[in-house]
Amino acid sequence: MKNPAPPEHPSNQLSRHMVRELRSDHAGETGAVYIYKGIRAVARWRQDAELLAFARQHGDTEAEHLHLMEDWLPAERRSRLLVPWRMAGWLTGALPALFGRRAVYGTIAAVETFVDVHYQQQIDHLQQHGGPEGLLPLLLHCQADEQHHRDEAASLAGAHTPWLLRLWCAVVGLGSGAAVVLARRV
């Protein structure tokens, strides 16, 4: 008896546009996993149990998102810049953690605000142009998690944001935007 053909990989059903978008999502989720690794490293060093618990919980969610993206995007279609994304992510987590919880929470709120908009653009594209079955629910699921992270972090950061933290968050937002543009291409 002849073996049946293997099922088509989901990435073969993606438009070129969506491959590029998922490449940026995979790179972003890789960076996110490392943001929380950076936070955890500093939180352990500072013996900050609250921050460590926050980073573990959020990091687990980001690791789940990364695995979901890997199911959709085989290794040969992922960004070739994963090492720099890991390093940038780790520093984006560790540096604010050196300044305390509020800096971390403000950073996470800024990152997740960017990610929410990024996912919404992809969701809008799929709703307008269609796409493979299962992709829209995946993006909606990831977006909902990121919105929850954003809202929780913003609540923990407090109402008043010092100017230096606002400046840092603006830099993080610009860096996230540049990373998406680069990850779509490389």
Side-chain angles (χ1 to χ4, degrees):
M1 180 174 180
K2 189 175 178 181
N3 287 336
E8 185 177 5
H9 193 279
S11 69
N12 293 335
Q13 302 170 26
L14 296 169
S15 67
R16 179 183 160 132
H17 172 80
M18 285 312 299
V19 167
R20 291 166 52 113
E21 290 301 315
L22 288 179
R23 183 181 302 127
S24 73
D25 292 345
H26 179 268
E29 296 297 351
T30 298
V33 165
Y34 278 81
I35 286 173
Y36 291 107
K37 287 183 180 203
I39 294 168
R40 283 196 314 258
V42 173
R44 277 192 301 271
W45 174 68
R46 293 180 69 145
Q47 299 179 348
D48 186 335
E50 179 183 320
L51 192 55
L52 191 56
F54 174 87
R56 281 188 180 136
Q57 178 186 12
H58 287 241
D60 289 348
T61 303
E62 301 299 350
E64 175 202 343
H65 292 177
L66 180 58
H67 292 301
L68 292 169
M69 293 300 164
E70 288 172 345
D71 289 343
W72 275 88
L73 204 63
E76 66 272 9
R77 295 185 119 175
R78 298 176 192 155
S79 175
R80 294 184 301 272
L81 300 174
L82 292 179
V83 170
W85 302 142
R86 289 177 185 122
M87 291 171 30
W90 196 90
L91 289 170
T92 302
L95 291 176
L98 291 171
F99 293 91
R101 292 179 197 152
R102 188 171 190 188
V104 167
Y105 300 145
T107 300
I108 297 304
V111 168
E112 298 297 18
T113 297
F114 175 86
V115 173
D116 178 34
V117 171
H118 181 64
Y119 273 132
Q120 188 61 52
Q121 291 167 343
Q122 294 171 20
I123 289 164
D124 291 344
H125 178 84
L126 286 173
Q127 288 173 333
Q128 183 176 4
H129 300 289
E133 186 177 332
L135 184 56
L136 181 58
L138 167 73
L139 295 178
L140 289 166
H141 167 76
C142 291
Q143 182 189 39
D145 287 343
E146 307 298 3
Q147 290 168 337
H148 173 72
H149 289 181
R150 176 200 62 208
D151 295 346
E152 179 185 5
S155 173
L156 290 167
H160 174 72
T161 305
W163 71 269
L164 189 56
L165 181 53
R166 285 195 312 270
L167 177 63
W168 166 252
C169 290
V171 169
V172 167
L174 290 172
S176 297
V180 164
V181 169
L182 192 55
R184 284 176 178 149
R185 297 172 188 209
V186 184

